[in-house]
Amino acid sequence: MIDVTGSADPDRIELGRLVPELDELIEAVTRAFGGTLAVYDPRGQRLAGTEAAGPPTRAFEHDGLRLADLASDGPRAAEAMELFANALSLLVHHANARELAATTHEAAMRLTFAELTEHNLRLTRAVSRLEELDRLKSNFLATMSHELRTPLTSVIGYAEMMVEGIAGPVTQDQRDYLNTILNKAVQLLGLITTVLDVASLESGQLALERTQLSLADVVASEVATFQGQAVRRGISIEFAVSESSHIVGDRRKIRQVVSSLLSNAVKFTPDRGKVGVTVKPGTLSPTGDDPAMQLVVSDSGIGIPVAEVAKIFEPFFQVDSSSTRAFGGTGLGLTLAKAYVEAHGGRIWVDTQPGHGSTFTVAFPMERGSA
Ligand SMILES: Nc1ncnc2c1ncn2[C@@H]1O[C@H](COP(=O)(O)OP(=O)(O)OP(=O)(O)O)[C@@H](O)[C@H]1O
Ligand SMILES: [Mg+2]
């Protein structure tokens, strides 16, 4: 349809707007045939041409609508009028088609836009629902872990008292059983504490206690803790510290980071393997040049397949999660380590080669020049 907007009378179609090149057209026709031409709108207003063409003698119609009146004068007035009318017809036809295409295009765009908007709305709703669920899950975990700890502390407390003979003498068998109960309960408590840590981390409550500490000292004491386990499996832990390694941070959390890396290095290294631990100044990221204090833990263990490297810091992810898995754990160690390191403004990354070993690097930021 011809667009009729912009006109005072909605039924009127403005020829001048539809065919802006009326003057050029008249000039071309009169150059060919001589004489004069004029175009009037249906109300008698001259749109183009000269009055010399005389009064209009022919109506110009399109689609049964009278769009204009034409006037022509001169030696070949009739031929000029005929050509002019035909050319006008053609131009109106084209203008019409152009407008139709534009309108269709616009309508299609509007439809697509409406669909996209609707789609976006649905996605936004889904995302906020997921966020809500995630928050509920974290709150649930935090509450549950807390509720689980309370009775467990009683189990541990009473078992300890019985082992110590406070409730009367116990036989060797009873002592063995009680020690097993104690070990398992302590293990369970550790697990619950970890889950609680992850939950509080997800609900965004990670508070740091900042003190000046020597990273080398923290690492040395953790290495000592793992030494027994390593020696029993013929694994040597080589520990090297290059110089003073003071950083500011949360001692308990940093100790947990170190412990997590050492535990993995020993756990995923076959008997008689090697673990290297180094504390040294370096950079905050593998490629940058911001100064940092680095802890590097490398092992000659099983390594991590390339496709899995990005996932190992995700909660509960374990490369081999089959029930016949040879290694224990919950898949939370690295999640916590990464969160704790990043809470300190630090970075953690890994280089690994399946079958040959892995090197985890943790970097804690240092003030420039403080090394
Ligand atoms: N040094 C390593 N060598 C090979 N694989 C590793 C190493 N460290 C981590 N991984 C892989 O990454 C996974 C995740 O490690 P993470 O420490 O988070 O969990 P976990 O050791 O399985 O359990 P948790 O630490 O909670 O006891 C591990 O299960 C293992 O598949
Ligand atoms: Mg671990």
Side-chain angles (χ1 to χ4, degrees):
M1 261 323 284
I2 297 171
D3 184 14
V4 293
T5 53
S7 125
D9 174 358
D11 288 333
R12 202 163 60 77
I13 294 151
E14 285 178 35
L15 185 69
R17 191 185 56 77
L18 213 57
V19 184
E21 49 289 79
L22 281 176
D23 285 318
E24 285 102 306
L25 189 59
I26 286 180
E27 205 199 308
V29 174
T30 50
R31 208 185 304 125
F33 291 98
T36 50
L37 274 168
V39 189
Y40 294 85
D41 75 7
R43 288 175 308 184
Q45 184 101 30
R46 186 153 45 85
L47 298 174
T50 68
E51 257 172 64
T57 54
R58 174 174 174 161
F60 175 74
E61 293 189 344
H62 182 81
D63 265 356
L65 274 180
R66 184 159 142 244
L67 293 191
D69 292 312
L70 311 180
S72 171
D73 191 33
R76 299 166 72 185
E79 282 169 274
M81 176 83 93
E82 186 62 23
L83 182 73
F84 183 65
N86 285 342
L88 211 52
S89 256
L90 213 68
L91 287 175
V92 169
H93 184 77
H94 274 286
N96 224 351
R98 253 198 330 264
E99 288 211 355
L100 197 65
T103 321
T104 315
H105 183 70
E106 203 187 303
M109 292 285 283
R110 226 180 275 137
L111 201 70
T112 317
F113 186 72
E115 274 170 8
L116 280 177
T117 313
E118 165 70 18
H119 212 69
N120 265 350
L121 210 67
R122 277 211 300 272
L123 280 180
T124 315
R125 268 192 231 119
V127 167
S128 42
R129 176 90 188 110
L130 279 180
E131 278 168 356
E132 168 74 7
L133 282 177
D134 196 52
R135 219 167 33 77
L136 284 178
K137 182 211 71 190
S138 297
N139 283 351
F140 172 76
L141 277 181
T143 319
M144 273 310 284
S145 313
H146 187 76
E147 294 304 315
L148 287 171
R149 266 149 70 110
T150 321
L152 206 52
T153 357
S154 302
V155 171
I156 293 172
Y158 284 109
E160 269 170 358
M161 287 196 283
M162 286 178 80
V163 170
E164 283 162 18
I166 291 174
V170 285
T171 66
Q172 188 53 46
D173 276 353
Q174 287 169 337
R175 185 180 303 278
D176 289 346
Y177 294 168
L178 282 170
N179 275 325
T180 307
I181 292 175
L182 260 178
N183 283 340
K184 296 296 169 190
V186 168
Q187 196 181 329
L188 190 56
L189 190 63
L191 187 60
I192 292 169
T193 310
T194 310
V195 171
L196 185 65
D197 283 348
V198 171
S200 61
L201 194 126
E202 287 179 352
S203 48
Q205 312 160 346
L206 189 64
L208 292 185
E209 262 174 49
R210 293 180 179 275
T211 49
Q212 174 97 7
L213 57 92
S214 154
L215 184 58
D217 287 353
V218 176
V219 175
S221 103
E222 287 307 308
V223 168
T225 309
F226 282 94
Q227 204 62 263
Q229 188 186 330
V231 167
R232 272 196 299 281
R233 297 188 31 220
I235 296 173
S236 64
I237 303 183
E238 272 171 34
F239 178 39
V241 187
S242 61
E243 57 192 284
S244 128
S245 59
H246 287 279
I247 56 171
V248 174
D250 187 312
R251 187 179 295 274
R252 190 185 78 85
K253 297 204 164 65
I254 292 179
R255 189 184 299 134
Q256 216 171 324
V257 171
V258 180
S259 160
S260 189
L261 292 185
L262 285 176
S263 140
N264 286 348
V266 172
K267 179 162 65 173
F268 296 109
T269 298
D271 292 359
R272 285 174 296 283
K274 266 189 173 41
V275 171
V277 182
T278 311
V279 175
K280 63 177 177 62
T283 54
L284 191 56
S285 66
T287 49
D289 64 350
D290 288 332
M293 187 52 68
Q294 290 188 343
L295 160 67
V296 183
V297 178
S298 54
D299 62 61
S300 63
I302 59 175
I304 303 160
V306 183
E308 318 280 25
V309 173
K311 301 186 206 149
I312 59 171
F313 295 100
E314 288 170 13
F316 303 109
F317 181 84
Q318 298 182 307
V319 169
D320 167 18
S321 56
S322 66
S323 56
T324 55
R325 188 176 201 266
F327 321 99
T330 49
L332 290 174
L334 287 178
T335 309
L336 278 178
K338 182 170 192 286
Y340 290 167
V341 169
E342 288 176 355
H344 283 84
R347 296 272 312 266
I348 180 168
W349 66 91
V350 58
D351 294 307
T352 178
Q353 218 187 330
H356 292 275
S358 312
T359 300
F360 283 81
T361 305
V362 168
F364 293 104
M366 278 195 310
E367 296 293 306
R368 252 173 220 283
S370 72

